[in-house]
Amino acid sequence: MALVGLSVQATWCHASVHYHHRGHHMSTQRRLGRRLIQLYAGLALYGASSALLVRSGLGLEPWNVLHQGIAERTGLSIGVVLTLVGAAVLLAWIPLRQRPGLGTISNVLVIGMAMDATLALAPDAHGLAPRIALMVAGIVLNGAATGLYIAARFGPGPRDGLMTGLHQLTGVSIRLVRTGIELTVVATGFALGGTVGVGTLLYAVSIGPLAQLFLRVFAVLPASDGSTVVATGQPRGAILRP
């Protein structure tokens, strides 16, 4: 009887370990699936939110001021320009020794397509109230998109990699490097015909708090026991924009 009991106990333990490992594997797959969904939903929403800011006509995000200015001069769509500029910035990672991730490459490919698709569907806004509504919606959705994308943890966007690479190369603070880059792209974009306005200023002061809020909402940290844990704070080292 003792031998039978030991055999049953051993079989039960083996089954329990097998079930635990299987459960851990399934949990890992679910987390990966959620991260992929967040990545591409965030990138698509980012492009759509940027298109809403274009339609508002009240000012764009700093980089899109540059993209719109180049689009005005070249006749290309703003989404195509965004993709081309993203690819060019990605090339600048090489001397800066930055390593792209899936999110980095996807950033270059997805946001521009989503932006052009939304611009094709969304009509121009007429009247101040609809334009303000589009501006506010664009900024809030951009914050949500940023939280979704960064929380997926698939690597920084090309422009953020440029920022961190210059920080590491020069020793200048992230804040100063980011400010210098954004002032440069806004000034260049404005000179080329990009739209700068109240939306640009409102975006600059609100995107940080909005992104931090949505990072807390969407962030999922891997747990050692295979369970999914929703983060209560901001992921360490997160950069608040794709």
Side-chain angles (χ1 to χ4, degrees):
M1 289 293 291
L3 289 175
V4 172
L6 288 173
S7 176
V8 171
Q9 185 178 11
T11 302
W12 181 85
C13 288
H14 177 74
S16 177
V17 170
H18 176 73
Y19 178 80
H20 176 76
H21 286 170
R22 182 181 177 186
H24 177 76
H25 178 67
M26 291 176 65
S27 179
T28 301
Q29 285 185 324
R30 284 196 295 268
R31 283 202 305 276
L32 178 60
R34 172 174 173 173
R35 289 172 59 207
L36 286 168
I37 290 171
Q38 285 195 193
L39 170 65
Y40 291 106
L43 293 176
L45 185 59
Y46 195 99
S49 65
S50 295
L52 295 183
L53 288 173
V54 172
R55 288 292 184 239
S56 78
L58 295 175
L60 303 178
E61 318 97 289
W63 277 94
N64 275 334
V65 174
L66 175 63
H67 301 149
Q68 188 184 51
I70 295 174
E72 291 288 333
R73 297 287 180 167
T74 62
L76 298 172
S77 72
I78 188 171
V80 169
V81 172
L82 186 152
T83 300
L84 294 175
V85 171
V89 171
L90 195 55
L91 290 176
W93 281 32
I94 298 173
L96 296 175
R97 298 181 179 180
Q98 299 292 293
R99 293 184 178 181
L102 174 64
T104 312
I105 305 301
S106 299
N107 183 296
V108 174
L109 299 175
V110 174
I111 293 180
M113 291 190 294
M115 189 174 184
D116 276 349
T118 306
L119 286 171
L121 296 173
D124 289 324
H126 300 287
L128 184 59
R131 293 171 66 194
I132 291 175
L134 282 177
M135 176 189 70
V136 173
I139 292 173
V140 173
L141 290 176
N142 196 279
T146 301
L148 274 168
Y149 165 75
I150 294 178
R153 295 178 288 115
F154 279 107
R159 295 156 187 81
D160 281 328
L162 175 66
M163 178 174 63
T164 55
L166 288 173
H167 159 68
Q168 293 169 4
L169 180 67
T170 64
V172 177
S173 71
I174 285 284
R175 180 174 297 181
L176 286 178
V177 171
R178 174 174 173 173
T179 300
I181 291 174
E182 294 195 349
L183 286 176
T184 300
V185 298
V186 166
T188 305
F190 180 70
L192 293 173
T195 305
V196 176
V198 64
T200 309
L201 178 61
L202 186 60
Y203 180 90
V205 300
S206 63
I207 190 61
L210 282 171
Q212 185 171 349
L213 168 65
F214 286 109
L215 274 166
R216 292 194 179 106
V217 172
F218 297 122
V220 177
L221 300 179
S224 59
D225 62 354
S227 61
T228 301
V229 179
V230 178
T232 57
Q234 179 181 342
R236 215 176 266 180
I239 300 171
L240 301 182
R241 187 163 9 90

